[in-house]
Amino acid sequence: MDLIWLIPLLPGLGALVNGVVGIRAFSKRTAGLVANATMAAALLLSLYAFWQLLGLPAEGREHTVRVAPWISSIPLALSNGTVGSFSIPWGFRLDPLSGMMILVVTGIGFLIHVYSVGYMHGEPRGAYARYFAYLNLFVFFMLMLVLGDNFLVMFVGWEGVGLCSYLLIGYWYQKKSASDAGKKAFIVNRIGDWGFIVGMFLIFSTFGTLDFRAVANAAGAMPVESAAFGTLSLVTLLLFVGATGKSAQIPLYVWLPDAMEGPTPVSALIHAATMVTAGVYMVGRNAVLFSHAPMTMEVVAVVGVATAFVAATIGLVQNDIKRVLAYSTVSQLGFMFLAMGVGAYAAGAFHLMTHAFFKALLFLCSGSVIHAMAGQQDMREMGSLKKYMPVTYVTMLVGTLAIAGIPPLSGFFSKDEILYRTFLENKVIWGVAVVTALMTAFYMYRLMSMTFFGNYRGPAWEHGGGHGGHGAWHGPHESPRSMTVPLQILAIGAAIAGFVGIPAALGGGNAIEHFLAPSFEARATLSEAAHAAEPGGAPATAGASLAAAAGEHAVTPSSSDEGGHAAEHISWAGEMGLMGLSVLVGIVGILTAYRIYVRAPEIAERLARRWSGAHRVLSNKYYVDEFYGATVVSGTIAGANQLWTVDRVIVDGAVNGSGWLTVFSAWFSHLVDKYIVDGLVNLVGAVLEESSFLFRRFQSGLIQNYALVMLFGVFTFVSVYLLVR
């Protein structure tokens, strides 16, 4: 486990090699090999580290590696009037939550890399290497995010995946819609990141540290802010603002559907296993903080279920196969935040893991369909692809049934756990979540029906040999093995991944909840406990002092209920009834979609005409983009124009006026200096020069002239004397 720092480093090296050398010199085969080899090595190291983690006792499954010092000790004043020391090491932390995440990121990421070898084969050599450099870099930053042992290391990964999303979404930068989508993702994420940054400032000001364990322990010793909105509530609300940006929640979800402009494997990587789950992971990582801020948790739950519902309604009428999946991702992320908001942190993380399998599978299957249809993404131009693409059809059906919550596939277990925990917490929110689950099953099977069933509605093709991408298009066809093998592996994962969370009602022990529980608790580390046990030793963290001294781990209030909420229980029959309702909702959604889009497609057209107003609103995504464009975007541009006018007229006017005044005063000073100061000096010189001419006439050097002048002077003096006497 001491080598966990190599897990992010390996894909980082792959990005460096392909980015510096590969773009200029590597063949496509070499560039793909470098990227895939580094991902495979990172996956193997992750599996080994996870295996070592499982070998530790449950209460000791936490290992921290300090790679190097990063920010040296800086004295800073804290909010309580004391002076703290700000120092940040470059450290990584492996615990059950981060262990699960590195397996998801490296495992799903590796399959997406393999899939990309076939999907991106038509790209030019240099662009091909650039694509894999971006893909490796994305995984590097995501692993940095999930393994960081403090907020600042996490923030490096947080900003890094934001940068890489810009690069990957805008990969086809010659295409304006792609470059615009990349900029939109980058800007919207920066809005959310503002909340994360301010939250970090407040965390350090409050706790004097940015270390996750120290913050959790200190927060665990503080009272739950159930009566008033206090510091912990403000901190968690700011962190949630950051999470809404990364994980596409209301009101910052608008970037994610546009991210479909990037290559389909990029969509799978961003939407399934990496960037969009970062916000969910961050909330789970700070479960102790959120558990002590019930008001913020209510906000998280309400925003989560609202996002899930709104995105699901939009997905009902979309015709672009990737956009249906995009809104499905937004909706499923809403379910994850709903779980976090009701205190079911393990259930939210469990759904994150199962979602990574079936959503990556669904996106890669959509990429296979697009590949088979020579770039066509409109489902109205497909149909009857089942007979042309049997592997893609079967694997996508598995993913669809999984996301619909049909047992025994993975989505059933994780979705049912979220619905069950929500029912215990808030019946109204549970009702909205059930309706959302119904819509999820409907729009996903609508996608299957329009794509694989019915009559073929696409363009005609030339009959003969060859495949799409190699000259003329010769009709829909199954994708190459480099694409179908990852689909089959992901389908197996989507089918069996849920068995790690079989609930007690079905005879299981919900193993994943017990495995992840220590990551959501405040407890002393072994080093803190040893330090506190020493005579006169002071615990390193205020919140863990009692627990450390006692040699026990301090658990957040009501930790057995995951969130500090009063546990409510229902009978086995009641739990089975809720489970049966969850399955029934999925089946009803699927059968309804099959009836409308396969058996009687005229029903869909009739409903669209009858409810044309609602259909238009949903097709235009509630006009949210237009609203943002007319308010936020236009307001920002108008404000920028006003500021530019102020800068040009007032600021620049003042500067230019000062410059003009300086030039004028210099010109006037030059005139004064030239005609007055220099004029007086020159006048004196001229007078002296002219007078010297007269005086020089008397200085002839002849004695008789001097005697004559003297005689004339005496004569003049005597004459004047005699006249005035």
Side-chain angles (χ1 to χ4, degrees):
M1 284 190 288
D2 288 334
L3 296 179
I4 57 174
W5 56 273
L6 278 174
I7 297 174
L9 182 63
L10 286 168
L13 289 175
L16 182 65
V17 171
N18 265 329
V20 174
V21 181
I23 293 176
R24 295 172 175 81
F26 285 174
S27 65
K28 291 184 183 181
R29 180 182 177 85
T30 304
L33 183 63
V34 168
N36 282 274
T38 54
M39 281 301 304
L43 174 58
L44 291 175
L45 272 176
S46 299
L47 288 168
Y48 180 65
F50 189 78
W51 178 259
Q52 288 183 305
L53 186 70
L54 290 177
L56 299 176
E59 65 277 4
R61 285 177 180 157
E62 181 177 314
H63 187 72
T64 301
V65 175
R66 299 295 167 86
V67 179
W70 181 15
I71 299 178
S72 302
S73 181
I74 303 172
L76 289 177
L78 304 180
S79 59
N80 58 9
T82 62
V83 176
S85 178
F86 179 73
S87 61
I88 300 292
W90 197 272
F92 297 109
R93 173 186 177 190
L94 184 67
D95 68 351
L97 182 59
S98 60
M100 182 194 78
M101 289 298 297
I102 61 174
L103 291 184
V104 169
V105 173
T106 57
I108 305 296
F110 172 66
L111 293 175
I112 292 172
H113 275 68
V114 173
Y115 179 94
S116 296
V117 171
Y119 189 86
M120 301 297 289
H121 74 282
E123 292 294 302
R125 183 196 58 78
Y128 191 81
R130 174 169 61 88
Y131 168 82
F132 277 108
Y134 291 167
L135 217 59
N136 271 172
L137 189 65
F138 196 110
V139 175
F140 163 76
F141 280 120
M142 188 64 194
L143 290 169
M144 193 74 67
L145 188 156
V146 300
L147 282 173
D149 76 335
N150 60 71
F151 281 94
L152 212 54
V153 174
M154 171 188 270
F155 190 70
V156 171
W158 188 275
E159 291 298 290
V161 294
L163 168 65
C164 291
S165 68
Y166 166 75
L167 296 173
L168 285 168
I169 295 169
Y171 169 75
W172 287 310
Y173 56 84
Q174 303 93 336
K175 185 180 175 185
K176 187 177 186 304
S177 58
S179 60
D180 287 347
K183 288 183 286 187
K184 185 176 183 180
F186 190 80
I187 293 170
V188 172
N189 272 273
R190 297 293 76 71
I191 296 171
D193 293 350
W194 166 85
F196 193 176
I197 293 171
V198 177
M200 281 198 299
F201 289 158
L202 189 55
I203 286 171
F204 181 79
S205 176
T206 304
F207 300 107
T209 181
L210 291 177
D211 181 81
F212 287 129
R213 172 54 61 202
V215 170
N217 290 342
M222 298 174 69
V224 177
E225 296 178 347
S226 55
F229 191 89
T231 302
L232 294 183
S233 298
L234 180 57
V235 166
T236 51
L237 189 61
L238 288 168
L239 293 179
F240 180 60
V241 169
T244 59
K246 275 290 180 290
S247 294
Q249 297 296 286
I250 292 174
L252 301 179
Y253 71 93
V254 292
W255 69 269
L256 195 143
D258 288 357
M260 297 301 97
E261 293 291 341
T264 300
V266 170
S267 303
L269 188 64
I270 291 177
H271 287 230
T274 55
M275 180 173 167
V276 295
T277 61
V280 180
Y281 171 80
M282 188 258 283
V283 173
R285 174 57 71 203
N286 295 284
V288 178
L289 284 173
F290 280 86
S291 296
H292 283 68
M295 295 183 186
T296 301
M297 291 186 70
E298 290 179 8
V299 173
V300 173
V302 171
V303 170
V305 75
T307 303
F309 181 84
V310 169
T313 59
I314 297 174
L316 293 174
V317 299
Q318 297 300 307
N319 294 312
D320 185 307
I321 187 171
K322 287 176 66 176
R323 283 192 175 269
V324 175
L325 296 177
Y327 282 104
S328 169
T329 298
V330 176
S331 185
Q332 294 303 305
L333 289 167
F335 271 104
M336 296 177 207
F337 278 106
L338 170 60
M340 297 292 173
V342 298
Y345 300 109
F350 182 27
H351 196 58
L352 184 157
M353 184 264 288
T354 60
H355 176 265
F357 282 103
F358 59 70
K359 187 50 63 67
L361 171 62
L362 289 168
F363 265 113
L364 295 186
C365 284
S366 73
S368 180
V369 170
I370 295 168
H371 180 271
M373 295 296 294
Q376 179 61 258
Q377 296 184 199
D378 192 332
M379 297 184 296
R380 293 170 296 186
E381 301 296 325
M382 298 179 186
S384 193
L385 296 185
K386 174 183 176 181
K387 62 182 178 181
Y388 302 107
M389 310 178 67
V391 176
T392 301
Y393 163 70
V394 172
T395 53
M396 196 165 197
L397 180 62
V398 172
T400 298
L401 296 177
I403 195 174
I406 303 301
L409 304 178
S410 61
F412 160 73
F413 296 103
S414 57
K415 185 195 73 173
D416 180 73
E417 183 67 18
I418 293 174
L419 292 175
Y420 170 66
R421 294 299 299 271
T422 304
F423 179 83
L424 299 181
E425 188 71 23
N426 190 304
K427 306 299 187 295
V428 175
I429 293 179
W430 170 81
V432 177
V434 169
V435 174
T436 304
L438 172 64
M439 290 189 290
T440 300
F442 176 84
Y443 68 65
M444 285 305 306
Y445 210 77
R446 171 181 177 266
L447 180 151
M448 289 293 298
S449 300
M450 294 179 69
T451 304
F452 293 100
F453 298 113
N455 297 321
Y456 177 75
R457 301 177 299 275
W461 63 87
E462 300 176 12
H463 294 277
H467 293 286
H470 299 281
W473 182 57
H474 296 284
H477 55 279
E478 189 59 89
S479 299
R481 286 183 58 81
S482 62
M483 295 171 63
T484 56
V485 170
L487 298 184
Q488 295 168 24
I489 295 173
L490 286 170
I492 294 172
I496 67 174
F499 288 106
V500 298
I502 300 176
L506 294 179
N510 206 341
I512 193 168
E513 179 177 342
H514 297 295
F515 173 72
L516 292 173
S519 297
F520 308 130
E521 299 170 351
R523 62 190 181 87
T525 62
L526 295 177
S527 60
E528 289 170 344
H531 181 60
E534 296 175 0
T541 306
S545 56
L546 296 178
E552 302 173 350
H553 69 270
V555 184
T556 59
S558 302
S559 65
S560 60
D561 194 43
E562 282 195 77
H565 298 272
E568 179 186 346
H569 300 283
I570 59 176
S571 65
W572 178 85
E575 187 172 349
M576 291 300 294
L578 289 174
M579 196 177 298
L581 177 62
S582 173
V583 176
L584 179 62
V585 160
I587 294 174
V588 169
I590 289 173
L591 293 179
T592 304
Y594 184 78
R595 164 71 177 166
I596 294 176
Y597 290 96
V598 179
R599 301 295 298 274
E602 67 275 4
I603 296 177
E605 299 174 4
R606 188 165 63 247
L607 289 174
R609 288 194 301 268
R610 183 176 179 181
W611 302 95
S612 59
H615 188 274
R616 184 166 53 254
V617 169
L618 294 179
S619 297
N620 288 281
K621 303 160 288 184
Y622 292 102
Y623 297 98
V624 172
D625 283 310
E626 289 78 4
F627 173 75
Y628 283 174
T631 55
V632 179
V633 177
S634 313
T636 302
I637 293 174
N641 287 331
Q642 292 298 323
L643 289 174
W644 176 77
T645 302
V646 170
D647 180 71
R648 179 174 58 86
V649 175
I650 298 177
V651 179
D652 286 354
V655 173
N656 294 336
S658 299
W660 180 86
L661 184 62
T662 302
V663 171
F664 175 77
S665 61
W667 174 79
F668 183 77
S669 176
H670 164 70
L671 293 180
V672 171
D673 182 68
K674 180 178 180 180
Y675 293 105
I676 298 178
V677 179
D678 288 352
L680 289 174
V681 172
N682 293 336
L683 179 61
V684 172
V687 170
L688 292 176
E689 182 181 9
E690 294 300 326
S691 61
S692 68
F693 174 77
L694 296 176
F695 285 108
R696 197 166 60 246
R697 306 301 295 177
F698 294 103
Q699 304 298 321
S700 61
L702 299 176
I703 295 176
Q704 60 270 30
N705 290 345
Y706 297 155
L708 180 61
V709 171
M710 291 175 63
L711 179 62
F712 178 76
V714 171
F715 173 77
T716 302
F717 176 76
V718 172
S719 298
V720 171
Y721 174 75
L722 292 176
L723 287 173
V724 300
R725 190 180 67 165

